[in-house]
């Protein structure tokens, strides 16, 4: 694409690496994630206006710690190091990084000592999000401290003439006050970028890529009816038309009335080539006696692929499998650039994919977040009742049942979950909440119903707000609403006598229980 400024994000394994890239794109500057050990020749070929060094799970003084090519600091390209990236800058330029006596995690008040560069036009104190066990003990020669917290004297450093900055906190997460402006300052004040990257350009580029990849072959698309797969299907359909066949798999792990809703929406509204496969027995048989969440996810991913491959075998020209995979799925399952990130959990469409797969993948949203996909959906004319749907995990209710997945437990959870969503919609809160759902717990407790002792199951209610799924806060639902949900579940769903509310944020918890 002509006249496109680009900023590279070097991935050192942070769970927030893609979030950095996304924040850059939000400022209408194109960003690309690359491996931390990218060669100088590759960097020069892309002609970036700036380079960001991501955070990471390791310490710079660890044996085998990932280090970039030191020549990047001689390219005269502006550099911003975030957390581990700031410590790398310190380490490489001769400063000292040591383990801190008091690990700083969560919100911390940041005091700006030099309102220039990345802190241009910002207030003197901000709320920042910290996540580190190391700290900069000695600033390198040529650098100066430009911000501090009460426990971190060098929370941000800079070599202003060389345009090299390091921040110990994470400006990319929503918890950091004015974090978007810190990143924008780096882009516009330091790098001299122009805001020329827009969503319509991204859509056109993706359509062009899909056409070039598929050519005269055919694509089978795994359609769940959720936001991701729905928008991906519309995008792929715009690129290749009738060469796309959508398959909806009823795996028995869906919400109440999900199958009929999906079939009606896509056959009637989108007029797509859609076939529905009843594979409930296949999935439930394979999940029998399985309790480990990682094993559940991998079994479901493997069985999905087998169903799709069975469907595609009827046509010799089907060579590709389309999926609505998002970056949070990828970043929690594997390191997308070969960086040293830790696996949080395998997603059915990433870590659960079999090693030997006959179909090649088409995943147009693999480097995007949910809200970006919603923007694309709006641009493509996808109805709002689909775009605004709360996320539903690919493994479905299987990862909302802690313990073994059985037909009976699925039916119980389906009914409880239906009550949760119904009451939240009635309260007018559905569109304000990222996800709200029920979880069936693997415990029973004593209760009293109709003057009789009961010993039945417990349901946990989960409701969170988020922008991207990478971080999330629990929602303080009104007490009267919680009371209504609890009463309905206990009175209307057989086998449940206790309801609890999950008040955990991400991190440290994940949104889903498994």
């Amino acid at each position: 694409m002509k006249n496109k400024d680009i900023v590279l994000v070097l991935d050192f394994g942070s769970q927030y690496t893609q979030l950095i890239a996304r924040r850059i794109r939000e400022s209408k500057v194109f960003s690309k994630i690359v491996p931390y050990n990218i060669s100088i020749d590759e960097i020069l070929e892309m002609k970036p206006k700036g380079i960001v060094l991501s955070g990471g799970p390791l310490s710079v003084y660890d044996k085998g710690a990932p280090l970039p090519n030191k020549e990047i600091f001689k390219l005269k390209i502006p550099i911003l190091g975030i957390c581990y990236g700031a410590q790398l800058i310190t380490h490489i330029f001769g400063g000292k990084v040591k383990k801190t006596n008091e690990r700083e995690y969560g919100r911390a008040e940041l005091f700006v000592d030099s309102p220039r560069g990345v802190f241009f036009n910002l207030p003197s104190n901000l709320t920042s999000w910290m996540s580190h066990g190391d700290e900069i003990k000695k600033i390198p020669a040529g650098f100066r401290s430009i911000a501090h917290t009460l426990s971190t004297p060098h929370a941000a450093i800079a070599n202003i003439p060389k345009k090299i900055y390091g921040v110990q906190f994470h400006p990319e997460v929503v918890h950091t006050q004015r974090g978007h402006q810190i990143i924008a300052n780096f882009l516009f004040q330091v790098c001299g970028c122009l805001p020329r990257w827009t969503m319509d350009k991204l859509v056109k580029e993706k359509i062009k890529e899909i056409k070039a990849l598929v050519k005269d072959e055919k694509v089978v698309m795994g359609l769940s009816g959720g936001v991701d797969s729905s928008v991906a299907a519309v995008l792929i359909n715009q690129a290749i038309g009738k060469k796309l066949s959508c398959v909806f798999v009823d795996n028995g792990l869906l919400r109440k009335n999900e199958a009929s809703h999906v079939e009606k929406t896509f056959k009637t509204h989108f007029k797509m080539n859609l076939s529905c496969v009843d594979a409930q027995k296949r999935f439930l048989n394979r999940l029998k006696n399985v309790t480990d969440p990682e094993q559940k996810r991998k079994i479901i991913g493997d069985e999905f692929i087998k169903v799709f491959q069975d469907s595609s075998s009827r046509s010799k020209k089907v060579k590709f499998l389309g999926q609505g995979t998002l970056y949070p799925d990828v970043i929690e399952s594997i390191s997308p650039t070969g960086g040293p990130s830790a696996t949080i959990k395998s997603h059915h469409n990433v870590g659960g994919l079999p090693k030997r797969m006959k179909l090649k993948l088409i995943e147009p949203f693999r480097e995007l977040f949910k809200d970006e996909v919603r923007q694309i959906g709006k641009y493509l004319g996808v109805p709002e009742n689909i775009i605004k749907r709360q996320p539903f995990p690919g493994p479905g209710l299987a990862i909302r049942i802690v313990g073994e997945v059985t037909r009976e437990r699925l039916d119980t959870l389906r009914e409880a979950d239906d009550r949760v969503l119904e009451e939240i919609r009635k309260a007018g809160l559905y569109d304000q909440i990222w996800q709200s759902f029920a979880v069936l717990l693997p415990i029973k407790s004593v209760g009293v119903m109709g003057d009789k002792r009961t010993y039945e199951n417990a349901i946990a209610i989960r409701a969170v707000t988020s922008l991207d799924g990478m971080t999330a806060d629990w929602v303080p639902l009104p007490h009267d609403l919680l009371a209504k949900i609890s009463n309905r579940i206990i009175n209307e769903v057989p086998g449940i006598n206790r309801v609890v509310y999950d008040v955990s944020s991400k991190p440290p918890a994940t949104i889903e229980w498994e």
Side-chain angles (χ1 to χ4, degrees):
M1 192 173 291
K2 295 180 180 180
N3 301 320
K4 178 178 69 178
D5 291 339
I6 180 171
V7 172
L8 299 182
V9 181
L10 272 59
D11 178 22
F12 291 91
S14 171
Q15 297 298 319
Y16 299 140
T17 297
Q18 179 64 18
L19 194 50
I20 299 168
R22 178 185 159 234
R23 296 295 184 228
I24 295 170
R25 292 199 298 265
E26 282 179 347
S27 295
K28 297 183 180 179
V29 175
F30 182 70
S31 60
K32 184 173 183 179
I33 297 175
V34 295
Y36 69 89
N37 54 358
I38 184 174
S39 71
I40 296 299
D41 288 341
E42 289 176 293
I43 292 176
L44 291 174
E45 187 178 344
M46 287 185 273
K47 299 179 181 177
K49 283 287 193 77
I51 294 174
V52 178
L53 310 179
S54 83
L58 301 179
S59 297
V60 293
Y61 49 77
D62 285 344
K63 185 178 180 180
L67 299 173
N69 189 319
K70 295 179 183 179
E71 296 298 311
I72 66 171
F73 297 102
K74 298 179 182 179
L75 299 177
K76 297 183 179 179
I77 298 172
I79 292 176
L80 171 65
I82 295 176
C83 198
Y84 179 85
Q87 294 162 14
L88 271 176
I89 292 170
T90 302
H91 180 71
I92 289 171
F93 279 90
K96 287 186 179 180
V97 177
K98 290 186 178 180
K99 187 174 182 179
T100 179
N101 294 325
E102 186 180 341
R103 187 172 186 269
E104 198 169 27
Y105 181 82
R107 291 177 174 87
E109 188 170 10
L110 182 78
F111 299 94
V112 176
D113 301 315
S114 179
R116 299 169 59 188
V118 296
F119 294 129
F120 174 74
N121 203 28
L122 288 176
S124 58
N125 60 302
L126 303 162
T127 298
S128 65
W129 183 263
M130 296 284 186
S131 179
H132 64 97
D134 296 327
E135 66 175 335
I136 299 168
K137 288 288 187 181
K138 181 183 176 183
I139 301 174
F143 284 76
R144 57 183 290 195
S145 180
I146 58 173
H148 70 278
T149 70
L150 293 178
S151 58
T152 304
H154 310 303
I157 62 173
N159 185 319
I160 294 174
K162 290 185 177 181
K163 297 185 178 181
I164 300 174
Y165 291 81
V167 295
Q168 184 61 75
F169 58 94
H170 289 272
E172 71 273 23
V173 303
V174 294
H175 305 79
T176 293
Q177 188 181 13
R178 308 284 283 271
H180 67 284
Q181 191 172 338
I182 293 171
I183 291 174
N185 279 339
F186 176 68
L187 298 174
F188 305 125
Q189 297 294 325
V190 180
C191 300
C193 294
L194 294 174
R196 295 182 286 203
W197 174 246
T198 57
M199 199 56 65
D200 62 321
K201 291 181 180 178
L202 176 61
V203 169
K204 290 173 183 175
E205 190 172 90
K206 290 294 180 184
I207 288 176
K208 185 178 178 181
E209 288 175 2
I210 293 167
K211 284 181 177 179
L213 179 65
V214 174
K215 296 179 182 176
D216 294 327
E217 307 293 348
K218 291 185 178 181
V219 179
V220 60
M221 176 81 198
L223 187 63
S224 70
V227 179
D228 315 326
S229 65
S230 298
V231 178
V234 173
L235 179 67
I236 296 172
N237 186 60
Q238 283 209 7
I240 62 172
K242 294 181 179 179
K243 288 183 283 187
L244 171 67
S245 297
C246 293
V247 177
F248 174 75
V249 179
D250 185 353
N251 58 9
L253 310 173
L254 305 173
R255 288 170 290 194
K256 191 173 181 180
N257 301 323
E258 185 83 5
S260 58
H261 170 75
V262 170
E263 186 171 7
K264 182 179 179 182
T265 299
F266 286 89
K267 281 189 174 180
T268 304
H269 182 85
F270 291 111
K271 296 183 175 13
M272 285 187 180
N273 181 13
L274 173 67
S275 59
C276 300
V277 179
D278 186 348
Q280 294 185 49
K281 288 184 179 179
R282 290 177 61 163
F283 280 86
L284 291 178
N285 285 341
R286 288 201 61 185
L287 289 169
K288 190 174 182 180
N289 298 322
V290 176
T291 58
D292 179 72
E294 276 292 285
Q295 194 178 354
K296 284 183 190 177
R297 288 173 173 272
K298 289 180 179 181
I299 286 171
I300 292 167
D302 181 66
E303 196 61 32
F304 261 118
I305 297 302
K306 287 180 178 177
V307 171
F308 292 137
Q309 289 184 159
D310 289 347
S311 299
S312 65
S313 63
R314 298 165 193 162
S315 175
K316 293 180 180 180
K317 281 198 170 185
V318 174
K319 302 293 183 183
F320 297 93
L321 168 65
Q323 291 196 142
T325 308
L326 299 188
Y327 194 79
D329 303 339
V330 177
I331 200 68
E332 289 186 336
S333 300
I334 57 174
S335 176
T337 62
S341 61
T343 298
I344 305 302
K345 57 188 178 185
S346 296
H347 287 259
H348 81 289
N349 52 351
V350 184
L353 295 177
K355 292 181 180 178
R356 294 183 179 180
M357 194 172 69
K358 297 177 183 177
L359 300 175
K360 295 179 183 178
L361 290 176
I362 293 180
E363 298 173 308
F365 304 147
R366 189 179 175 86
E367 293 184 352
L368 300 181
F369 284 85
K370 179 77 69 175
D371 60 322
E372 291 179 306
V373 172
R374 285 189 167 120
Q375 290 177 44
I376 291 174
K378 188 174 182 180
Y379 176 79
L380 293 173
V382 177
E384 283 205 352
N385 67 328
I386 291 178
I387 293 175
K388 291 185 176 181
R389 285 194 82 184
Q390 291 183 4
F392 184 65
L397 300 180
I399 58 170
R400 293 178 180 174
I401 292 177
V402 182
E404 185 183 1
V405 179
T406 66
R407 192 177 295 276
E408 181 183 6
R409 299 189 82 202
L410 282 163
D411 289 342
T412 298
L413 178 58
R414 231 186 306 271
E415 294 300 325
D417 186 71
D418 186 60
R419 271 67 175 180
V420 172
L421 292 176
E422 187 176 328
E423 290 301 328
I424 283 177
R425 282 194 175 96
K426 283 181 182 177
L429 297 175
Y430 184 85
D431 291 340
Q432 301 173 34
I433 296 173
W434 176 265
Q435 271 176 284
S436 50
F437 54 90
V439 180
L440 182 60
L441 304 184
I443 56 173
K444 290 188 175 183
S445 65
V446 175
V448 178
M449 287 181 160
D451 297 325
K452 292 183 180 180
R453 177 187 185 275
T454 61
Y455 188 61
E456 294 180 334
N457 297 291
I459 284 285
I461 300 171
R462 181 79 159 136
V464 298
T465 55
S466 179
L467 290 176
D468 43 51
M470 293 300 290
T471 60
D473 288 320
W474 64 276
V475 178
L477 291 178
H479 290 179
D480 60 340
L481 175 58
L482 285 171
K484 283 181 184 178
I485 294 172
S486 177
N487 287 337
R488 286 200 63 191
I489 290 174
I490 291 172
N491 291 325
E492 298 174 18
V493 182
I496 303 296
N497 70 353
R498 190 177 299 273
V499 173
V500 298
Y501 191 53
D502 184 345
V503 291
S504 311
S505 294
K506 177 184 179 180
T510 53
I511 295 175
E512 299 292 345
W513 274 51
E514 291 196 335

